[in-house]
Amino acid sequence: MLEFSIILLTGGISLLFLMLYEARRNVVKIEEVRLPHFPEHMQPISLFFISDIHKREISDDIIEEVKGKTDLVIIGGDLLEKGVPLSRVERNLDKLLILGNVYFVWGNNDYEGNTTDVKQLFKKKGIIEIINSSVKVSLSNGMMNIIGVDDASTQRTDYPMALEQVSPEEFNLLVSHDPRLMNQVRKEDGIDFMISGHTHGGQIRLFGWGMYKKGRLETLPETTLLVSNGYGTTAVPLRLGAPAETHLLLIDRFRK
């Protein structure tokens, strides 16, 4: 009985350390995204995507790994949550600005902070908010629309309004914190690529099962979708089976 108790205790401690390790990982997943309707005249696009930072401070190692390799940065919501000091948010933004222009969509936990202070900080730093609208981004030999839709879980989403200034014939990147927006996306909308976070990949997955699907890149009839496990955690600072991640996305045309 004593030996069995020791085995259980050792296993429990090992599992706890694994969960702490997965929650604190500083990984940049480099992913090639081949899109069938990527404009032929455009050079490949490189973008850095990070979501669900929550209470974490972005590691300098991540910044060093990505520096000089990306055209722009997109924060997919939950930059902060209740209790996160604005000074930490500012440090994280300063790090991301080293990489290039930063675009931001709101997540549900972002609204737990003082939104007035956050918006003033964005204005001070030159962070580009996209709230149920779109911005045109000039890139090498072409233009991309970044369409940002506000958080669905807080009933702030207005997907039709976000599409008002874009054409399905243009190259359109849709950013929504909550991937459930996918339920509104139609093939005729001309969304070439959609990126989201929010789910944390289930955060803690037991025997492969979690509250949400694990983060993934998948091709759907309506568009290509990336859902990130995210960088931070919520509720408990632990992960299992859905490790923390950020993304360096290399976007180009699919060629047979």
Side-chain angles (χ1 to χ4, degrees):
M1 180 64 71
L2 179 59
E3 289 182 358
F4 181 69
S5 298
I6 293 173
I7 291 171
L8 280 180
L9 179 61
T10 303
I13 293 173
S14 298
L15 180 61
L16 178 61
F17 275 105
L18 174 63
M19 294 171 79
L20 286 167
Y21 168 73
E22 290 202 346
R24 298 178 181 182
R25 286 180 68 186
N26 291 300
V27 171
V28 180
K29 290 183 69 175
I30 300 175
E31 302 185 79
E32 292 188 355
V33 184
R34 304 288 183 175
L35 304 175
H37 301 295
F38 187 87
E40 291 187 16
H41 65 276
M42 283 181 63
Q43 297 294 322
I45 299 169
S46 172
L47 70 86
F48 180 66
F49 178 59
I50 185 169
S51 70
D52 303 281
I53 298 170
H54 290 282
K55 295 180 179 180
R56 290 191 74 179
E57 185 154 346
I58 299 171
S59 167
D60 292 334
D61 291 340
I62 285 179
I63 302 303
E64 286 302 313
E65 184 173 350
V66 178
K67 188 164 61 176
K69 299 177 182 178
T70 185
D71 297 312
L72 54 94
V73 176
I74 295 178
I75 305 173
D78 283 3
L79 170 64
L80 68 152
E81 62 179 52
K82 185 178 179 180
V84 174
L86 197 65
S87 58
R88 186 181 306 164
V89 176
E90 184 169 12
R91 287 195 299 272
N92 281 334
L93 292 176
D94 284 340
K95 290 182 179 184
L96 293 174
L97 284 164
I98 293 171
L99 304 178
N101 290 336
V102 177
Y103 300 81
F104 174 83
V105 298
W106 288 81
N108 54 305
N109 290 114
D110 293 312
Y111 288 102
E112 297 173 0
N114 186 320
T115 56
T116 300
D117 288 348
V118 173
K119 284 176 174 287
Q120 287 177 347
L121 181 61
F122 287 166
K123 186 174 181 180
K124 172 185 172 184
K125 299 291 180 180
I127 307 300
I128 304 163
E129 293 178 79
I130 314 177
I131 306 173
N132 294 323
S133 61
S134 63
V135 296
K136 292 190 181 297
V137 179
S138 179
L139 299 164
S140 298
N141 300 323
M143 192 80 66
M144 173 176 68
N145 293 315
I146 303 180
I147 304 163
V149 177
D150 210 338
D151 181 64
S153 63
T154 54
Q155 310 301 312
R156 290 178 166 90
T157 294
D158 194 333
Y159 177 59
M161 179 183 291
L163 294 180
E164 285 182 357
Q165 302 300 318
V166 302
S167 165
E169 286 73 37
E170 297 173 314
F171 181 65
N172 297 314
L173 169 66
L174 174 61
V175 188
S176 169
H177 177 65
D178 191 332
R180 287 179 295 179
L181 183 72
M182 188 65 232
N183 295 328
Q184 298 185 43
V185 176
R186 305 167 303 165
K187 188 173 183 178
E188 55 264 35
D189 295 336
I191 302 300
D192 296 286
F193 188 27
M194 176 177 168
I195 53 179
S196 296
H198 182 60
T199 67
H200 296 203
Q203 191 164 312
I204 296 176
R205 309 183 64 83
L206 299 175
F207 306 106
W209 182 88
M211 291 292 292
Y212 298 97
K213 288 183 180 180
K214 192 173 180 179
R216 65 214 180 270
L217 177 66
E218 60 181 330
T219 301
L220 301 174
E222 299 83 2
T223 189
T224 298
L225 171 68
L226 171 78
V227 182
S228 175
N229 286 341
Y231 186 62
T233 57
T234 189
V236 293
L238 302 171
R239 285 179 176 268
L240 183 64
E245 62 187 16
T246 66
H247 306 264
L248 183 62
L249 302 172
L250 310 175
I251 306 171
D252 199 355
R253 185 175 180 82
F254 175 78
R255 293 177 173 84
K256 297 182 179 180

